[in-house]
Amino acid sequence: MLGDVQPIVVANRAPLTLELADAYRNTPERLVRGAGGLVTALSSLAASTRALWVAVARDDPDRILAARGDPAELVTDDGTSYRVAFVQPRPDSYELYYNTISNPLLWFIQHYLWDLAREPIVDTATRHAWQEGYVRVNQLVADRVVAEAKASSQPPLVFVQDYQLYCVPGMVRAQLPDVRIQHFVHIPWPTPMSWTVLPKQIRDAIVQGLLGADLVGFQTRRDVRNFLLTCEENLGLTVDFRERTVFFEGRVVWVRNYPISVDVGGLLQQAEGEDVRIEEERLLTWRPEKLILRVDRTDLSKNIVRGFLAYERMLEDHHELHGAVQFWAYLQPSRQDIDDYRAYLGSVLSVAAGINRKFSSGGWTPIRVEIDDVMARALAGYRQFDVLLVNPIYDGMNLVAKEGVLCNRRDGVMVLSENAGSHEELGDFALTVNPFDIDETAEALYLGLMMDAPQKRARAERICETVRSADINRWIALQLQDLRDLLKV
Ligand code: GDG
């Protein structure tokens, strides 16, 4: 896979979590592998190369793991082993780094979520959080990477992940000028102008930090273009749009897109599991004739409220569907320590309740909102939907769009936002919507429910083929290929 190198994966989260023993529920302590394709993909890389994982200790269970070794040799309950080096920032630094700067400030800029007439207000507290939180934690992480790189007998190859760690590549490069670094950004990279919300010193530090890498990866071609434009317009750097390179401090930085995907084999196997069968049986006891599904974290970017408003519009226009259709919103609670997120969940619940009050009759409830965190239930939903609504305001990729249709057993139709990263690959076979337009979304939901069987099947098959041929292994393989071709690793 890779030559003689020591891969170092750097991410905010470790690839595993410690679930503490619970005497009340009589459950033992468990070390559980993190969910999602990223952990799966990087885990296979880590397992095959003895990679080291550098992560930030976020809470007490992480700190317990950190105390088990430095780096800790950890084996999850499914038998996968990891070497994890935790950095341990002070809790107040972590809070500023994670809950003030990364979420919401950067997340909101990168998903265009700020209501700019009112927010954000940038002040001394923002600069303090940047310096004492974000920069400080990034420096701790970078120092740890440097120490591990120096201790390695093989040349290190550093893979940094995401928006919490933008400064790490530059900080590592400052200490190890020749090290090979790749940084992958999982969320959208917005237009240059969106970044001007931040003071110049902060927004330039973000881009310069990233340019410490040799290769910067994004999900879509649009993200790549926006990043190149940001380098040119906001920092005045020399950019080659055809080669997709930036010249920075005497080096060439390559910028490429690698659409993240799912572990197709693993996911389909998981979807056949006993726990999913039990969830599906439960679902069949209440499923309506026609099921609309959405599965999302309760994040503002996911656009859950407008999804309900579109469904309301559809019910207003199509009385014949009353009693026959139900919209199941299966939602995972997210970032509830941030005010905007708590308020958003409140709006989600109250809008759904309002629609249910307006239309419920004869035992029929139009919307079923369920807030929980059980993957098997999401998979049961994926198998059973007739229409899957994926309408984010903006989204880096959106894996639900890829997983949902792949697991579905009914040739279900997907209604997909043109602003989801997955739209670049799957848009031709979904029903495309502008996520702000509830009339258009209502119409698409209706078309999806009414589509004839051959058309449904043709679309579902094309989506499945696309996902199968570009799965998570390809995501990794393309990056490794570029590291070999461009950087001669
Ligand atoms: C970020 C970016 C990008 C579903 N129900 C449960 C559950 N899921 C799984 C889904 C899916 C994952 O969670 C959600 O992934 P998404 O990609 O849809 O969204 P984000 O969480 O916002 O992810 C995104 C991604 O990073 C990867 O680069 O695609 O754009 O925002 O796999 O099936 N997971 C658990 N419990 C559930 O009940 N644990």
Side-chain angles (χ1 to χ4, degrees), residues 35-38 107 111 162 184 186-188 219 260 262 267 295-297 299 301-302 330-332 335 372-379 382 395-401 403 421 475:
L38 171 72
W107 181 272
H111 292 85
D162 231 355
F184 186 80
H186 290 254
I187 64 176
Q219 303 272 25
I260 200 164
V262 298
L267 182 74
V295 176
D296 280 303
R297 289 186 298 105
D299 194 287
S301 66
K302 302 294 181 181
Y330 181 49
L331 308 174
Q332 290 72 59
R335 302 176 187 162
D372 212 331
D373 189 352
V374 180
M375 187 63 196
R377 198 167 307 157
L379 289 167
Y382 293 164
D395 212 330
M397 178 53 57
N398 197 298
L399 291 175
V400 172
E403 298 165 346
W475 180 73

Side-chain angles (χ1 to χ4, degrees), residues 245-418:
T245 51
V246 184
F247 296 92
F248 182 64
E249 296 186 340
R251 290 180 307 112
V252 174
V253 180
W254 305 86
V255 187
R256 293 288 184 270
N257 71 301
Y258 308 101
I260 200 164
S261 191
V262 298
D263 170 14
V264 170
L267 182 74
L268 291 175
Q269 196 183 0
Q270 203 186 345
E272 295 293 331
E274 180 59 11
D275 49 351
V276 177
R277 194 188 60 74
I278 293 168
E279 290 289 349
E280 201 174 359
E281 265 174 21
R282 199 174 294 158
L283 199 166
L284 289 173
T285 63
W286 61 263
R287 74 152 287 150
E289 185 192 330
K290 292 176 186 295
L291 178 66
I292 299 176
L293 172 72
R294 79 171 307 135
V295 176
D296 280 303
R297 289 186 298 105
T298 55
D299 194 287
L300 285 75
S301 66
K302 302 294 181 181
N303 207 20
I304 300 165
V305 170
R306 284 195 194 84
F308 288 157
L309 297 177
Y311 176 66
E312 177 183 32
R313 169 58 47 85
M314 189 196 78
L315 293 178
E316 280 164 357
D317 293 348
H318 297 284
H319 286 250
E320 72 280 11
L321 286 175
H322 292 202
V325 65
Q326 194 172 30
F327 186 156
W328 180 27
Y330 181 49
L331 308 174
Q332 290 72 59
S334 185
R335 302 176 187 162
Q336 290 300 296
D337 35 11
I338 297 176
D339 292 345
D340 281 332
Y341 279 75
R342 280 198 303 277
Y344 188 65
L345 178 53
S347 329
V348 165
L349 295 174
S350 72
V351 170
I355 295 170
N356 282 341
R357 270 196 304 279
K358 183 165 158 192
F359 293 105
S360 290
S361 73
W364 171 62
T365 313
I367 304 181
R368 177 187 180 101
V369 181
E370 223 175 309
I371 304 196
D372 212 331
D373 189 352
V374 180
M375 187 63 196
R377 198 167 307 157
L379 289 167
Y382 293 164
R383 286 166 71 95
Q384 283 289 327
F385 70 80
D386 297 296
V387 170
L388 178 68
L389 178 59
V390 181
N391 66 328
I393 291 174
Y394 289 93
D395 212 330
M397 178 53 57
N398 197 298
L399 291 175
V400 172
K402 294 191 169 181
E403 298 165 346
V405 181
L406 190 69
C407 295
N408 188 254
R409 314 273 292 172
R410 300 168 66 91
D411 293 333
V413 177
M414 177 159 59
V415 173
L416 182 60
S417 163
E418 60 186 338

Side-chain angles (χ1 to χ4, degrees), residues 115-133:
D115 174 7
L116 287 182
R118 297 180 182 80
E119 287 185 304
I121 293 173
V122 175
D123 59 7
T124 313
T126 318
R127 289 190 177 79
H128 174 77
W130 169 257
Q131 205 54 47
E132 300 304 319

Side-chain angles (χ1 to χ4, degrees), residues 8 16 67 102 119 178 198 213 222 266 302 316 323 343 385 398 420 467:
I8 303 178
L16 37 74
S102 303
E119 287 185 304
D178 297 326
L198 293 175
R222 172 157 68 182
K302 302 294 181 181
E316 280 164 357
F385 70 80
N398 197 298
V467 177

Side-chain angles (χ1 to χ4, degrees), residues 11-31:
N12 178 57
R13 296 183 73 150
L16 37 74
T17 45
L18 177 67
E19 289 182 1
L20 298 172
D22 185 335
Y24 183 66
R25 291 198 204 144
N26 197 20
T27 51
E29 179 187 293
R30 292 173 65 206
L31 250 185

